[in-house]
Each structure stands twice: as structure tokens, then as C-alpha cells.
Amino acid sequence: MAVEIKKSTVAGTLSLTPLIDVVFLLLIFFLVTSEFEEQERRIDIALPTATSAVPMTSKPREIVIDINPAGTIYVGGQETTLDALQELLKNAVAANPISQTVVIRADRATAFQPVVSVMDACNRTGISDYSVTTTDGPDQ
């Protein structure tokens, strides 16, 4: 007795073209979004030295300085003096000489002198990119 095998109509109509298109689009997507190694990095060279060279640093974090209504200065939640603040700013500029930023947050009831003293410390250490924050809202 012979066994008769019938071909399924589903397998005969299954088209691989959409599957190939999707795989091809994924391949293109991953090729376009991947980072390629730069041609210059493949060449093995010894860079020259310089005495005034500054090491490459990561993007500096901004330093936030808080001043309470009594005029007390805080950096990172820790109370500090103007001398210690100036030393901290000097070290920050040494680590990131080009783009160190400072944000000064003073209470609205603070006298102006502590704010000016912090700005002066920024200027003395070479930080020119500092700002005083304010809020946008009704006066209380």
C-alpha cells in the first residue's frame, strides 16, 4: 500500500521575501548606528611631550555653592569658609582649566556681601563661568 503525501498549501505560499527584507533592514540599521574605529587610531605613533601639556579630563561637574540667610557658605551640603572654598575652586580649576562652572544659590534674605565674596573667590581662582540662580514665580 502506497502512502500518499499531500503538500500543504501553507508551505507552498510562504514567502521569505518579507523576512529577508526585515533582516536586511536590521543589518543596515546596526551598521549605520555602530561606531567605526578611526583610521588614524590604527597607526602606532609615539606622541611628543610638552611641559605645558594638560591631561585630558572628563566633562567637569558644576560646583554648587549654597548660601543661607545668615551668610553661611555650603558646598556639597558641608559648611565651609571662604578660604576653604577658594582652595576647593583652585583645585577644581587645576583639574579642569578650561570649562569649570559654578552655580551660586543664595537665599533671598541673604545679605549681598557673602554672594559678592563667593563671586570674588571665583574670579580670583580663574572661574569666569559662574551664575546666580533665581526662581520664576511670585514674590513671597
Side-chain angles (χ1 to χ4, degrees):
M1 175 174 192
V3 178
E4 190 176 322
I5 300 175
K6 294 183 179 180
K7 286 192 172 185
S8 172
T9 57
V10 175
T13 61
L14 183 64
S15 175
L16 293 179
T17 304
L19 178 66
I20 293 171
D21 287 344
V22 169
V23 170
F24 185 65
L25 286 173
L26 284 172
L27 178 66
I28 290 173
F29 172 78
F30 287 119
L31 284 175
V32 169
T33 58
S34 65
E35 294 182 26
F36 294 102
E37 185 178 356
E38 295 179 25
Q39 185 74 18
E40 296 84 21
R41 303 278 179 166
R42 293 186 198 164
I43 302 170
D44 188 31
I45 59 171
L47 297 175
T49 59
T51 57
S52 63
V54 178
M56 290 177 54
T57 59
S58 62
K59 185 176 183 206
R61 294 183 50 179
E62 59 188 16
I63 298 172
V64 179
I65 301 171
D66 296 317
I67 305 172
N68 70 3
T72 308
I73 301 168
Y74 294 90
V75 177
Q78 300 293 324
E79 185 177 338
T80 186
T81 63
L82 274 175
D83 293 332
L85 174 67
Q86 188 164 342
E87 189 64 31
L88 177 111
L89 294 176
K90 201 179 296 184
N91 292 338
V93 168
N96 298 296
I98 297 173
S99 60
Q100 183 62 55
T101 60
V102 172
V103 176
I104 303 168
R105 297 179 46 206
D107 191 272
R108 71 176 68 196
T110 304
F112 196 59
Q113 185 57 52
V115 178
V116 171
S117 298
V118 170
M119 292 169 138
D120 187 44
C122 290
N123 288 329
R124 279 185 276 153
T125 56
I127 298 175
S128 59
D129 187 11
Y130 57 86
S131 60
V132 178
T133 58
T134 61
T135 58
D136 207 14
D139 216 11
Q140 294 179 3

